[in-house]
Structures are given as C-alpha cells and as structure tokens.
C-alpha cells in the first residue's frame, strides 16, 4: 500500500520517497541503511519510468535540456550513492526541513507561480543551469533520496520558469536517470534486496500510472495544489522525525 501511494504522489508532485522509505525502514528494521536505501530505489525506478512514459506520450518536454540535466544527475547520483556509507543520512534532515519550509512559503505566497511557462533564460544559459541543478539534485537523490522529485519540480519552475505540468514531466525523466545510477552503484556494492524491491515495484508502477494520468488531466493548476499539499506533509513528517522521534 505504501509503495502504491508513494508512486501516485511521486508521479504528481514528487516526495514519494518520504512515504515509501519510512515503510521500508520499519519493515526492514535492523537491516543496514545502505541495503534499505538500495532496495528503495527498485520500486522508485519502476514508478518513475512508468510516469515518465505516460507523460511523454501526452506531452513533449524539452528533450535537449532534459538530457543535459539527466546526464549530470546520473553522475551526481552515482557519487551520492557511493558515499551513503560515509555520511549519516540524519545529517540532511534539518537542512531538508528548512528547505521545504522555504519552498512551501515561496509557492504559497505566489498564486501565479508555475501556472504558465515564463522561461527566464536563453537556450545556452538554461542548459548550463539545468546541468548544475541536475548534478546537485542527483547527488542528493543518491545519498538520501526522499523529496528529490519535489525539489526538482520546484527548481524547474522557480529557476527556469517551467509550468508545473511540464516541470513534473521533466522531473520524472531526470529521476529515471538518478534512480538508475543509484541502483547500479548499490548493486555493485551488494546493497539491494531484489526479493523485496520487485514486488513493491508493481505497486509503485500502478500508483505512478494513475498519478501521472490525473496530473495530465488536471494540468498545472491542479499539480500546484497537490505540490503544496505534499510539501506541507513532508514538512510535518520530517519535523516529527527530527524533533520528536
């Protein structure tokens, strides 16, 4: 159930990892953290791939910019996944918590934010910025992961000027690359439990297909509302984990 809901949420507004990963941490209690993080990437890549295909069939994202964002994201994710055994994931919690609050306030105070495409830069500069953002997001996805899609959508809208629908579609394609890099890295170090990951992948794919279909139908205005809801839920979840549990 958690994997299915995670796929649905992630396909629309990102943040599915903060549903799925805690469920795995509970279900695989006592197992090494790298093993849990690696196993979490299996349903994630199936879900993001399903959503990406669904978006691509209905929309036509900027493929050149997406590729220039996805390749650095792939590299960054591989580096991040390699460092999971060296840097405790709890180190990121307060940083992510503050970042999500900023994202929520910024989006809420700007009703027109992400409703229409207002590109801020020319082709060359947009490509360079996309590459830098891809590296940063990829590294974060590899070393920790939850909330990657949410941050990626926000950056595509806020920095490059994409509408929410196009940003969500682009984010899924880039996310496929970051998940693939993480899976290859975790598999190389023996940190994936495929017997657990593959059954969860079916549920995640189902949720992702439903979520992406509803997102395409609802458009940027609907995605913006779900995005704000997801960010607020992520803030509550991280706040509870950081300050209470």
């Amino acid at each position: 159930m958690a994997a299915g809901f995670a796929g649905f949420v992630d396909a629309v507004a990102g943040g599915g990892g903060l549903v799925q990963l805690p469920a795995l941490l509970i279900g695989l209690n006592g197992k090494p953290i790298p093993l849990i993080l690696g196993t979490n990437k299996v349903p994630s890549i199936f879900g993001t791939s399903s959503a990406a295909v669904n978006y691509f069939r209905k929309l036509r994202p900027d493929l050149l910019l997406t590729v220039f964002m996805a390749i650095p994201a792939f590299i960054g994710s591989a580096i991040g996944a390699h460092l999971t055994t060296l840097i405790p994931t709890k180190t990121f919690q307060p940083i992510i918590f503050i970042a999500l609050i900023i994202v929520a306030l910024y989006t809420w105070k700007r009703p027109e934010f992400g409703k229409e495409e207002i590109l801020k830069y020319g082709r060359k500069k947009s490509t360079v910025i996309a590459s830098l953002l891809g590296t940063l997001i990829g590294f974060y996805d590899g070393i920790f992961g939850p909330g990657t899609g949410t941050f990626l959508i926000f950056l595509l809208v806020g920095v490059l000027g994409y509408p929410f629908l196009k940003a969500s579609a682009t984010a899924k394609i880039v996310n496929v690359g970051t998940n693939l890099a993480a899976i290859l890295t975790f598999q190389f170090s023996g940190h994936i439990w495929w017997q657990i990951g593959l059954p969860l992948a079916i549920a995640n794919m189902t949720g992702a297909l439903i979520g992406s279909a509803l997102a395409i139908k609802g458009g940027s205005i609907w995605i913006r509302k779900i995005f704000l809801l997801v960010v607020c839920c992520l803030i509550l979840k991280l706040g509870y984990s950081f300050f209470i549990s």
Side-chain angles (χ1 to χ4, degrees):
M1 181 178 290
F5 185 62
F8 175 84
V9 171
D10 203 62
V12 179
L18 281 174
V19 177
Q20 186 170 268
L21 185 56
L24 279 172
L25 288 169
I26 295 170
L28 301 180
N29 186 32
K31 298 295 182 181
I33 293 298
L35 178 66
I36 296 174
L37 292 174
T39 303
N40 178 59
K41 291 299 178 185
V42 176
S44 294
I45 193 171
F46 278 90
T48 52
S49 297
S50 300
V53 170
N54 219 17
Y55 277 120
F56 192 78
R57 287 168 58 190
K58 303 293 182 180
L59 304 170
R60 283 295 179 265
D62 187 332
L63 287 180
L64 182 62
L65 185 140
T66 302
V67 168
F68 272 93
M69 193 174 203
I71 293 175
F74 179 94
I75 297 170
S77 181
I79 296 172
H82 182 70
L83 296 177
T84 52
T85 57
L86 303 177
I87 303 176
T89 55
K90 287 188 175 180
T91 304
F92 294 93
Q93 286 188 352
I95 301 172
I96 299 165
F97 181 72
I98 294 171
L100 284 169
I101 291 175
I102 294 172
V103 168
L105 290 174
Y106 188 93
T107 306
W108 176 62
K109 287 188 174 184
R110 290 164 173 78
E112 300 302 317
F113 181 69
K115 287 186 177 181
E116 297 180 2
E117 182 170 274
I118 306 175
L119 299 180
K120 300 180 179 180
Y121 308 103
R123 163 65 69 180
K124 186 175 181 180
K125 191 170 184 179
S126 291
T127 302
V128 172
I129 293 173
S131 299
L132 294 174
L133 294 178
T135 304
L136 177 64
I137 289 294
F139 178 80
Y140 169 74
D141 193 28
I143 201 167
F144 188 52
T148 297
T150 304
F151 285 123
L152 186 51
I153 291 171
F154 178 78
L155 290 173
L156 285 167
V157 175
V159 178
L160 295 181
Y162 276 21
F164 269 106
L165 181 58
K166 187 175 180 180
S168 189
T170 303
K172 291 305 102 189
I173 298 173
V174 175
N175 241 171
V176 172
T178 61
N179 284 329
L180 177 60
I183 281 179
L184 292 175
T185 305
F186 281 122
Q187 177 62 27
F188 184 75
S189 60
H191 288 127
I192 293 182
W193 197 348
W194 290 97
Q195 294 91 327
I196 299 294
L198 288 176
L200 293 177
I202 297 173
N204 197 289
M205 284 176 61
T206 303
L209 288 171
I210 295 172
S212 56
L214 289 176
I216 293 168
K217 184 178 180 180
S220 291
I221 295 176
W222 185 77
I223 294 176
R224 181 183 183 277
K225 294 177 181 178
I226 301 299
F227 178 84
L228 266 174
L229 178 62
V230 168
V231 171
C232 290
C233 289
L234 297 182
I235 291 171
L236 292 174
K237 174 64 180 67
L238 276 178
Y240 178 82
S241 301
F242 184 62
F243 294 109
I244 299 177
S245 63

